[in-house]
Amino acid sequence: MKEWFRRVVAKLSFRTGVVILVLCLIFYLLSFAQMLLPISATAKGTLWFILFGLAKTTQYLGLAIVGVEGWQRIKSYFRRKKSAA
């Protein structure tokens, strides 16, 4: 199972990992923004559980796809943006 996962993740591109990390951010925002909805506490808890679970899943999957070098590449991109401003 572990080898199968590594083979599948190795085939995915850096761009795919970045897209999945952006989805992670969206799921995090939705998991907390849904608290503002006028629905029952049970429904809010269920939505939070599902959305937060999706956020964590996409976070770990995105980081696995991007890898260490890719994560350093993303951080350097934001550092360059900050220093240019």
Side-chain angles (χ1 to χ4, degrees), residues 18-82:
V18 172
V19 168
I20 291 176
L21 288 173
V22 169
L23 282 174
C24 166
L25 292 174
I26 293 170
F27 284 133
Y28 272 122
L29 288 172
L30 288 174
S31 71
F32 290 104
Q34 59 84 26
M35 295 294 179
L36 301 173
L37 294 174
I39 54 178
S40 69
T42 305
K44 286 181 183 182
T46 304
L47 274 174
W48 183 83
F49 179 79
I50 292 168
L51 291 170
F52 196 77
L54 284 170
K56 280 298 187 185
T57 302
T58 54
Q59 175 187 354
Y60 293 131
L61 181 60
L63 290 174
I65 293 170
V66 168
V68 175
E69 289 93 21
W71 183 246
Q72 291 171 351
R73 188 171 152 190
I74 292 170
K75 284 182 3 182
S76 70
Y77 172 79
F78 285 109
R79 285 187 187 138
R80 277 186 274 139
K81 285 273 197 181
K82 189 177 180 181

